[in-house]
Amino acid sequence: SSESLDDWKTSALRVREWLIGKYRQWGIGEEELPVLSALTLGYKGELDKDTREAYSVAGISHVLALSGMHIGVIWFLLEGLMRLLMRRRFGWLRWLIVTSILWIFAFVVGLEASVVRAVVMCMLMGLGSLSGSRPLSINTLMLAAFFMLFYRPFYLFDVGFQLSFVAVASILLIHPMIFGQWKVYHRMGRWVWGTLSVSLAAQLGTAPLVMYYFSVFSVYFLFTNLVVAMLVPLIIYASLLMVMLAPLPMIQMWVVKMVNGLVGALDAMAAWVSGWPYASFSLAVLTPAEIITFYVVLACGLTYVRTQKTKWI
């Protein structure tokens, strides 16, 4: 019921407040604390207007809201650790441990819609890998949406839910088309091109919703998201290490300094890019009919690229 979910969220918020207090106690700087709290715990209450605006203009405001990227980073780490610690035949036990940890994390950060979606997706991907089927597909995404809406239908009107699902659907449908346009054989070059094409696919799919809800579009999102792809995983991993080293304050002190430095670098990049000429532009408020028209045109264009049938033009 909605009442029981609210009780769970209240308990989760208390745990989150306790962890934020620990961040401050361990030595996270006052300038870095709001961004770190948003990045790792989903708490944006201490973010000031200038920081929000800088991240929005730079096209990286999505990192301040916990989403599939954050859960994916944690899931990748947990999967790697479980594979090192446990043999292949214990696949179901590995899946159970990883899933349990992800749900604990989702609980701590307040069971936000985008986080719940990402955890459900990771669960289904794990099950898909165990059964030998394709782990990530549109069917997986739709199944995650079904379970979430079956439990709480009002998720459908949550902006985070909408942006989260549209972004993943765009990556699944559009990214292969963009990535396949340019063959890159160097390993680092493939990573850069892969990151850029994922960002472009997600931005193309979510741009109408972003402009509808926020009336702003970032021009330099490709560059900033490339930097985010490098810095955010490091910040999340360093933060996890900081928490794990709490019983060893002498060692933890150095990790805290590293976290402060990484978050400071992310802040500096956002402030720097937001000051570039024509960093963003605003639009008049779009109507739902215009949003629907955009997606119809986009769907027809993608179908043409896939089928090469001119009737879609």
Side-chain angles (χ1 to χ4, degrees):
S1 65
S2 59
E3 291 80 7
S4 62
L5 182 61
D6 291 338
D7 291 339
W8 278 88
K9 282 193 171 184
T10 301
S11 301
L13 292 176
R14 290 173 182 165
V15 175
R16 188 168 68 177
E17 289 175 3
W18 177 79
L19 281 171
I20 294 173
K22 286 294 182 182
Y23 279 179
R24 186 176 280 108
Q25 179 183 333
W26 290 333
I28 298 298
E30 290 301 318
E31 293 184 0
E32 291 80 14
L33 182 63
V35 173
L36 184 64
S37 298
L39 273 172
T40 59
L41 299 174
Y43 177 68
K44 296 180 285 186
E46 295 187 12
L47 288 170
D48 57 46
K49 182 180 178 182
D50 292 339
T51 300
R52 290 174 183 267
E53 184 175 352
Y55 276 71
S56 177
V57 171
I60 56 173
S61 57
H62 58 88
V63 303
L64 299 177
L66 290 176
S67 62
M69 179 183 69
H70 303 77
I71 301 300
V73 168
I74 298 172
W75 179 73
F76 181 79
L77 174 64
L78 293 174
E79 280 286 316
L81 290 175
M82 288 297 104
R83 290 181 186 278
L84 287 175
L85 298 175
M86 304 180 70
R87 297 179 181 179
R88 187 178 182 83
R89 61 177 178 171
F90 296 109
W92 285 100
L93 181 58
R94 288 205 312 263
W95 174 84
L96 183 61
I97 294 173
V98 170
T99 300
S100 299
I101 294 174
L102 289 179
W103 276 117
I104 291 172
F105 177 76
F107 166 77
V108 169
V109 300
L111 297 173
E112 296 293 335
S114 57
V115 175
V116 173
R117 189 274 307 164
V119 174
V120 172
M121 287 283 291
C122 288
M123 286 178 58
L124 296 175
M125 286 169 59
L127 287 174
S129 297
L130 289 173
S131 62
S133 61
R134 185 183 176 189
L136 182 59
S137 65
I138 286 293
N139 289 337
T140 311
L141 184 65
M142 293 301 102
L143 193 59
F146 171 78
F147 284 132
M148 289 182 64
L149 293 175
F150 180 78
Y151 180 74
R152 192 174 177 83
F154 285 103
Y155 270 143
L156 185 62
F157 304 101
D158 184 275
V159 177
F161 177 91
Q162 296 173 15
L163 290 173
S164 176
F165 274 90
V166 170
V168 176
S170 301
I171 291 170
L172 289 172
L173 295 172
I174 305 175
H175 168 251
M177 300 182 190
I178 299 175
F179 187 72
Q181 296 301 311
W182 186 22
K183 299 294 183 182
V184 181
Y185 298 99
H186 190 273
R187 186 174 181 180
M188 180 57 70
R190 282 179 63 85
W191 178 83
V192 172
W193 175 232
T195 302
L196 291 177
S197 57
V198 166
S199 177
L200 185 59
Q203 195 77 16
L204 185 61
T206 58
L209 287 177
V210 170
M211 289 185 286
Y212 176 70
Y213 285 115
F214 308 110
S215 300
V216 67
F217 184 81
S218 173
V219 175
Y220 304 116
F221 68 90
L222 283 176
F223 167 73
T224 53
N225 279 277
L226 184 61
V227 177
V228 162
M230 294 184 288
L231 281 180
V232 169
L234 291 176
I235 292 172
I236 294 174
Y237 290 149
S239 300
L240 289 172
L241 184 60
M242 177 180 67
V243 174
M244 293 169 61
L245 290 175
L248 303 171
M250 295 301 293
I251 302 176
Q252 186 199 42
M253 174 182 65
W254 296 101
V255 181
V256 169
K257 291 182 178 180
M258 180 170 61
V259 172
N260 280 327
L262 291 170
V263 175
L266 185 63
D267 283 345
M269 186 274 294
W272 179 47
V273 174
S274 66
W276 289 3
Y278 311 107
S280 68
F281 60 87
S282 300
L283 296 174
V285 177
L286 300 179
T287 65
E290 290 170 331
I291 299 297
I292 293 172
T293 302
F294 178 93
Y295 281 116
V296 170
V297 172
L298 178 62
C300 291
L302 292 175
T303 307
Y304 167 73
V305 172
R306 188 181 293 271
T307 64
Q308 294 299 307
K309 294 182 178 179
T310 54
K311 67 178 183 179
W312 294 105
I313 297 297

